[in-house]
Amino acid sequence: ETIRLAEAADARQPITRFAPHSAASEDYRAFARELLRSERAIASGTEGSHGSWWKALVSSAARRPG
């Protein structure tokens, strides 16, 4: 299954186009949905624990040297 990711990269296509029904593609879509949901919650001020998690993740990534 992970070979599809390498094949998609070699073909210069996103996994969601190269293998739209693969587990990697489904995982990517689930991550994107969660990311968008978290960003909407942060923007509306209703972030709850997920928004706090997202803020912590972003701030720790920003502190990491390039």
Side-chain angles (χ1 to χ4, degrees):
E1 184 67 34
T2 57
I3 291 171
R4 302 298 284 171
L5 287 170
E7 291 171 347
D10 286 344
R12 297 183 185 262
Q13 291 185 15
I15 190 64
T16 53
R17 181 177 296 153
F18 186 81
H21 302 292
S22 68
S25 185
E26 296 298 325
D27 288 345
Y28 181 82
R29 284 190 193 93
F31 171 73
R33 280 191 298 271
E34 175 63 21
L35 179 64
L36 291 171
R37 188 199 61 74
S38 294
E39 286 193 352
R40 281 192 297 265
I42 290 169
S44 70
T46 60
E47 63 202 51
S49 63
H50 291 293
S52 299
W53 168 85
W54 177 245
K55 282 182 182 177
L57 177 68
V58 169
S59 91
S60 70
R63 288 191 304 266
R64 233 181 282 152

